Amino acid sequence: MAAATAAAGAVPFSNDGSDVLQREVEVPAATTGRTSGSSVFDVYEVQRCADFISQTNKQRVALQFPDELLGDSGEVVRALQSLTPPSVAYFILADTSYGSCCVDEVAAEHGDADVIIHYGRSCLSKPTRLPVLFVFGRSTIDVDRCSDALAEVMKAGGSDKSYLLMFDVTYAHAIDAIAQRLQPFQN
């Protein structure tokens, strides 16, 4: 009898998951991964994602967004739907079990996903169960203005110096154009 009383007051190891469905996530209404004037197609590399879905021939696609990018998730789904067959089903993963940088294969499998597209920053942990496409995003940058500012620094510093340009992964799409513009200033 004492054992039954102790067990009745114990916290269950698992439950029906209703608490997760009732949980409220506070995400500011203005949260988006885009700056004004930038396109969902550009920032979230929608064409590359659609090509990945077509090449892998998958039908159930989990789109994993960190909280700060959730504001764009509906537009990303609509953009992908415009480029893929109607048979492709999309669902959004958010509030992951792990950090938002980790691919949540467990949640994706609960949705019976065939593939995951992970948006935002990532620790690049190796997926073990499902194919994953990482989309870091594309931040807008004025390549001419950036190159001009860097060229001024290089001119002022002298030609006998070496320079190392570090950048966030969201600017990787522009680095070749910047490097080309700076070619005349390199040793």
Side-chain angles (χ1 to χ4, degrees):
M1 186 78 150
T5 304
V11 176
F13 179 69
S14 66
N15 59 37
D16 65 1
S18 61
D19 60 321
V20 172
L21 297 175
Q22 301 301 319
R23 185 182 312 154
E24 290 186 31
V25 178
E26 292 185 34
V27 178
T31 298
T32 179
R34 295 178 289 142
T35 56
S36 64
S38 61
S39 158
V40 165
F41 277 87
D42 294 335
V43 173
Y44 293 99
E45 302 180 59
V46 172
Q47 185 62 60
R48 183 168 76 102
C49 295
D51 291 345
F52 175 75
I53 293 164
S54 296
Q55 290 165 0
T56 58
N57 198 29
K58 302 299 183 184
Q59 297 299 304
R60 294 191 50 80
V61 182
L63 305 176
Q64 182 178 339
F65 289 88
D67 290 346
E68 64 271 13
L69 301 180
L70 275 175
D72 287 339
S73 62
E75 282 188 72
V76 172
V77 169
R78 285 188 292 279
L80 285 167
Q81 287 172 329
S82 74
L83 297 176
T84 56
S87 59
V88 177
Y90 295 96
F91 56 97
I92 297 168
L93 299 179
D95 195 25
T96 63
S97 305
Y98 314 104
S100 60
C101 66
C102 298
V103 174
D104 196 346
E105 290 181 283
V106 174
E109 285 181 328
H110 283 283
D112 201 24
D114 299 319
V115 65
I116 302 171
I117 300 179
H118 181 281
Y119 294 96
R121 300 191 183 284
S122 176
C123 57
L124 297 174
S125 56
K126 186 176 180 178
T128 58
R129 300 176 182 140
L130 295 170
V132 176
L133 175 65
F134 292 96
V135 179
F136 302 111
R138 291 180 170 211
S139 294
T140 56
I141 185 170
D142 183 333
V143 171
D144 293 333
R145 186 173 171 206
C146 180
S147 300
D148 290 345
L150 291 168
E152 288 301 316
V153 169
M154 294 171 81
K155 284 182 211 174
S159 61
D160 61 332
K161 300 225 191 293
S162 295
Y163 297 91
L164 173 66
L165 177 59
M166 298 179 74
F167 56 94
D168 187 276
V169 69
T170 62
Y171 295 102
H173 63 95
I175 200 63
D176 288 340
I178 293 170
Q180 186 176 12
R181 294 265 327 260
L182 297 175
Q183 193 72 30
F185 305 102
Q186 295 177 2
N187 297 342

